[in-house]
Amino acid sequence: DRLSLPITDLGVTHGAMVTDVCRTYGGRLFRYADHLQRFLHDCTACHITLAFTPQQIADWAKELVACNAPHHETCELLLNTFATPTTLVMRTAPLDIRRYADGVTLWPTPPHSAASGLLPPTIKHRNRFHWYIAERLAPPGTIPVTTDERGHLLETAVGNVILVRAGAMVSAPAETVLDGISLRVVRELCKSQGIAYREQLLTTDADEVILCGTAFGLAGVRAIGERAYACPGPITRRLMAVWSGLYNSIDNTKESIV
């Protein structure tokens, strides 16, 4: 089957599109209630009115994964949901996370212009042209990380950046980056593990650096630009161990959608 959007759809002509990406662990969607809640919030914030109830969307998500999972028995799935002012689309794709297995290298990129007052950085949308440019400016094999006008680190196209300093976790101020579901999980894990967590402007001054995102969970960062880090460091390894068992917990599947 082929999926298409009318050439006149505002998602095509204006890039007016809110999106979400969730993944499966063991064939089950992980933290889908959080993903759906954020998606609905972002649609409302962007004046995109959905013609379906949250429960309908949740039911379709589970049905789609159940239908497609048997065709990808050797890997997990990504579920991509996006909405334009007139269209809702849900699709799955096989998940390949090999590039994150041995750690990644981030490359700082110049700040991009955005009407942040109209489109806050906390919103997950499909206007990704700045990432397209950043990926072509960064050296091959690296992942671009955006910076603000003063050079503070912000985020990547695939996940949030977290620093480890003196045993504490530090992420960028919430209002400056995407409201990452994986970042929420990290905050919860830090609380359960007694690890201090705070938000502040990020520089490259750190003992360890972690990238967290839906597709891969947690990944160690080998370097930011020319600065190298322990990868994975002790805090990273500790959180990875806790994360690996998290998705098997009934308490964290969050089956209740509404």
Side-chain angles (χ1 to χ4, degrees):
D1 294 337
R2 292 183 175 273
L3 174 68
S4 63
L5 283 176
I7 194 65
T8 55
D9 190 286
L10 290 176
V12 177
T13 61
H14 286 59
M17 188 181 297
V18 169
T19 188
D20 179 77
V21 177
C22 190
R23 68 160 289 178
T24 64
Y25 283 100
R28 295 184 302 168
L29 289 170
F30 179 62
R31 300 293 288 252
Y32 184 68
D34 287 343
H35 281 272
L36 180 56
Q37 179 189 49
R38 183 184 65 182
F39 178 71
L40 297 173
H41 169 273
D42 290 355
C43 284
T44 299
C46 293
H47 303 278
I48 292 179
T49 302
L50 299 173
F52 314 104
T53 68
Q55 192 62 58
Q56 283 178 305
I57 297 173
D59 290 343
W60 291 332
K62 294 179 182 178
E63 181 181 354
L64 184 60
V65 168
C67 179
N68 290 341
H71 301 291
H72 302 282
E73 295 180 353
T74 61
C75 65
E76 300 290 351
L77 294 179
L78 280 180
L79 171 67
N80 180 213
T81 304
F82 63 86
T84 77
T86 58
T87 309
L88 176 70
V89 176
M90 305 178 79
R91 61 180 290 270
T92 63
L95 178 59
D96 184 357
I97 59 173
R98 287 174 294 182
R99 72 175 297 192
Y100 307 101
D102 298 320
V104 298
T105 295
L106 306 184
W107 197 265
T109 64
H112 69 279
S113 60
S116 59
L118 294 174
L119 187 59
T122 57
I123 301 293
K124 191 172 179 66
H125 55 85
R126 264 297 177 215
N127 188 344
R128 300 171 68 83
F129 195 50
H130 63 288
W131 290 121
Y132 173 85
I133 296 174
E135 288 170 358
R136 281 147 185 81
L137 294 176
T142 66
I143 296 176
V145 54
T146 53
T147 59
D148 65 15
E149 291 76 7
R150 291 175 290 174
H152 297 115
L153 303 172
L154 293 175
E155 59 190 343
T156 75
V158 295
N160 293 94
V161 177
I162 308 171
L163 308 183
V164 180
R165 290 177 178 158
M169 307 286 283
V170 185
S171 66
E175 67 275 10
T176 66
V177 294
L178 177 70
D179 176 20
I181 303 302
S182 296
L183 188 60
R184 295 186 194 178
V185 177
V186 169
R187 286 197 292 264
E188 294 172 10
L189 294 182
C190 287
K191 183 176 181 179
S192 70
Q193 296 294 305
I195 300 174
Y197 183 99
R198 63 179 182 271
E199 296 178 357
Q200 66 183 58
L201 297 173
L202 301 183
T203 67
T204 57
D205 180 23
D207 303 312
E208 305 172 44
V209 182
I210 303 172
L211 192 63
C212 68
T214 291
F216 52 87
L218 299 178
V221 174
R222 294 190 300 267
I224 300 178
E226 303 295 339
R227 180 160 183 168
Y229 303 93
C231 179
I235 298 294
T236 305
R237 290 195 300 269
R238 179 178 171 185
L239 287 179
M240 284 179 168
V242 179
W243 186 290
S244 66
L246 181 63
Y247 48 81
N248 291 318
S249 168
I250 295 176
D251 291 340
N252 285 289
T253 57
K254 293 200 173 184
E255 295 295 337
S256 177
I257 302 299
V258 293

